Amino acid sequence: MTLRLYQDHVYLKECLSTVLAITNDNCLVLNKSLFFPTGGGQPCDLGTINDLLLAEVFEKSGEVYHRFQKAPPFKVGDEVTCKLDWDLRFDHMQRHCGEHILSGIFFSMLGGVNRGFHMGNDYMTIDIDLPAVTMETALRVELASNEVIWSDVPVSVRYFSRREEAEKLPLRKEITVEKDISVVCVGAEANPADCVACCGTHPSTSGQIGLIKLLKIENYKGMSRVYFESGKRAFLHTVKEHQLISALAEKYSADENTLGAKISAQEDKNQLLRQDLQKYRELLIEREVQALCDATSLPSEEPSSSPQVIVKEYEHLSLEDLQQLAKALSAISPNFFILIALNEKALLISRAINTVPGAPDFGGLIKANVASFNGKGGGNSSSARAAFQSLADLDEFVQHTVGLLIDGVEPLKSFA
Ligand SMILES: [Zn+2]
């Protein structure tokens, strides 16, 4: 069995060990190990053995395995130098112990028990078995948790051979194993900030955690899922947020106190601008309807009973605007309209419903032809739309369509 140095010598960063076994999946078993194996929601330690990088450390059937990417060049009995990746270990200790304190305070302040823990790369979560904990309540828990950090109380680990012995401590959660139990207490055993069975690695005092920062809360299966970060990562998170707020404040010529109000004022202004813009669009469409109707019934022209094909390009109107324009036109004009939204490389083809007996089916026309011009589209018999990969494709499609339509109707009349 490997002597687990990380249990009693959590600050030991280097040691000499002897190789006890080598497995055919590139793993070493050592007589003593610095490296914590993945377990209890805490990721494994990493580091080097004789300067070879470890890929993973895990536990199987009570033994610790040190795995490498490739077969390691060792033999049983070799003495090897183990070096711990201390930055990674300390990061795990700060995060893991932060989770202890936050869970302990949720328990002591609200009676909520941590039923799930996740330590991800971007944040950690705990699932507290209380429904709908509000942010306001959670912020009180956050403050009390940070007060535990600032009081810099000892974090102690005690080992018990029997469950009954361990259960004399004020545990936050039931113990589920019978023997070889380690119990971690943050603060004095008589009145701890947290006390729970745990096999992970912890700093010797709470002050080393530095900071706990709550990020958000959401409902999860009738519980409250709390997102948070602790240690250096919590600090870096606040740095990132401060940079973001500073950049926003500069953009809005505000400071942290006035930023919210300035953003709201800008939103109100934008809302008014959007309303104005909508009014002008409607006016523009109204005028365009009139212009198109006037232009297609010039006094010099012979009055005509057959529909004309009107093609017009628009630089500043969207396909949605053209839809409104076409709707208004089809109510008062017997003509066929091909309206082009240049910015979107798209067009709309429209006519009044039942203009003339045997009027063309525009949806069918687009479906049958558009793919040959690298376009996509469809619609109903009196109104259809299509979008193209290029304006050249669109232009060719228009010429082709006009060619189809003028057979039986008046020649093309374009005002583009
Ligand atoms: Zn722990």
Side-chain angles (χ1 to χ4, degrees):
M1 284 290 271
T2 306
L3 176 65
R4 300 176 184 223
L5 293 171
Y6 58 83
Q7 286 182 330
D8 291 322
H9 305 280
V10 79
Y11 291 91
L12 192 63
K13 300 175 182 75
E14 192 171 331
C15 77
L16 291 173
S17 300
T18 305
V19 177
L20 296 184
I22 303 172
T23 69
N24 50 19
D25 55 349
N26 310 334
C27 290
L28 290 188
V29 178
L30 303 169
N31 69 330
K32 52 190 174 177
S33 178
L34 290 173
F35 305 103
F36 174 79
T38 304
Q42 184 175 332
C44 68
D45 286 331
L46 293 173
T48 58
I49 297 180
N50 280 11
D51 295 328
L52 287 178
L53 272 175
L54 277 167
E56 186 190 8
V57 182
F58 62 94
E59 192 170 355
K60 201 170 81 180
S61 311
E63 194 50 274
V64 181
Y65 291 86
H66 307 76
R67 191 174 69 78
F68 294 89
Q69 288 296 359
K70 288 191 268 185
F74 305 127
K75 55 186 191 302
V76 172
D78 277 358
E79 190 173 70
V80 291
T81 303
C82 302
K83 288 183 187 167
L84 185 67
D85 179 342
W86 173 252
D87 288 346
L88 181 71
R89 155 70 74 76
F90 192 62
D91 175 54
H92 291 166
M93 291 190 344
Q94 284 188 313
R95 299 182 92 198
H96 174 78
C97 202
E99 183 254 329
H100 271 279
I101 296 175
L102 194 63
S103 301
I105 302 295
F106 264 109
F107 182 65
S108 59
M109 272 178 76
L110 307 175
V113 177
N114 174 353
R115 298 291 179 196
F117 170 50
H118 170 72
M119 190 191 276
N121 202 37
D122 296 329
Y123 52 79
M124 292 185 282
T125 61
I126 47 175
D127 297 330
I128 301 295
D129 66 353
L130 294 173
V133 172
T134 63
M135 194 40 130
E136 194 188 357
T137 303
L139 287 175
R140 285 196 287 119
V141 175
E142 181 195 51
L143 178 64
S145 300
N146 280 298
E147 281 166 352
V148 173
I149 292 174
W150 305 329
S151 62
D152 199 21
V153 291
V155 178
S156 58
V157 186
R158 279 179 64 190
Y159 298 97
F160 298 90
S161 54
R162 288 168 55 243
R163 178 169 145 170
E164 296 77 57
E165 288 298 311
E167 281 175 340
K168 289 173 186 165
L169 290 171
L171 296 164
R172 127 167 91 86
K173 246 175 144 174
E174 262 180 41
I175 293 176
T176 51
V177 291
E178 290 303 323
K179 52 182 189 173
D180 298 330
I181 299 156
S182 55
V183 174
V184 177
C185 274
V186 180
E189 274 182 14
N191 182 28
D194 188 40
C195 183
V196 74
C198 181
C199 62
T201 54
H202 310 84
S204 56
T205 57
S206 63
Q208 292 170 62
I209 297 164
L211 180 68
I212 290 175
K213 186 72 205 85
L214 213 91
L215 306 177
K216 66 170 179 176
I217 303 187
E218 61 187 25
N219 291 328
Y220 176 74
K221 294 183 175 174
M223 299 186 285
S224 296
R225 175 163 283 183
V226 181
Y227 291 74
F228 70 104
E229 201 41 273
S230 69
K232 184 178 177 181
R233 289 180 190 237
F235 166 72
L236 293 177
H237 188 90
T238 61
V239 169
K240 197 171 141 193
E241 287 195 335
H242 181 74
Q243 283 170 343
L244 182 67
I245 291 169
S246 298
L248 274 174
E250 200 180 318
K251 188 177 160 68
Y252 283 90
S253 306
D255 58 31
E256 283 177 32
N257 301 316
T258 56
L259 181 60
K262 288 221 174 177
I263 289 177
S264 293
Q266 187 61 50
E267 278 173 0
D268 292 346
K269 206 168 151 187
N270 289 349
Q271 177 67 16
L272 290 174
L273 283 173
R274 274 196 293 274
Q275 286 169 0
D276 276 355
L277 187 63
Q278 184 56 25
K279 269 186 233 157
Y280 285 118
R281 275 180 191 283
E282 283 166 12
L283 199 62
L284 187 65
I285 288 165
E286 228 171 80
R287 288 188 178 179
E288 191 58 21
V289 169
Q290 200 52 53
L292 278 173
C293 287
D294 291 350
T296 54
S297 55
L298 293 173
S300 60
E301 276 189 311
E302 290 292 313
S304 165
S305 59
S306 301
Q308 296 171 309
V309 181
I310 315 298
V311 181
K312 191 161 182 186
E313 295 177 342
Y314 294 92
E315 219 170 316
H316 301 297
L317 292 181
S318 68
L319 204 59
E320 287 308 313
D321 296 330
L322 297 185
Q323 185 85 49
Q324 287 182 45
L325 177 56
K327 198 177 162 192
L329 286 168
S330 66
I332 53 173
S333 168
N335 292 323
F336 297 167
F337 292 94
I338 299 177
L339 307 176
I340 299 163
L342 288 171
N343 280 340
E344 295 176 48
K345 298 193 280 280
L347 62 79
L348 190 88
I349 176 165
S350 155
R351 63 171 172 81
I353 300 166
N354 303 325
T355 332
V356 287
D361 170 8
F362 286 165
L365 185 149
I366 280 193
K367 266 194 179 160
N369 296 289
V370 76
S372 310
F373 298 89
N374 302 314
K376 281 182 181 172
N380 59 37
S381 62
S382 62
S383 174
R385 47 169 75 187
F388 298 86
Q389 286 178 13
S390 71
L391 285 176
D393 287 331
L394 182 147
D395 196 44
E396 280 181 34
F397 176 81
V398 171
Q399 287 181 34
H400 176 79
T401 305
V402 169
L404 291 174
L405 291 176
I406 57 173
D407 183 22
V409 301
E410 286 286 301
L412 167 68
K413 189 176 187 70
S414 173
F415 299 94

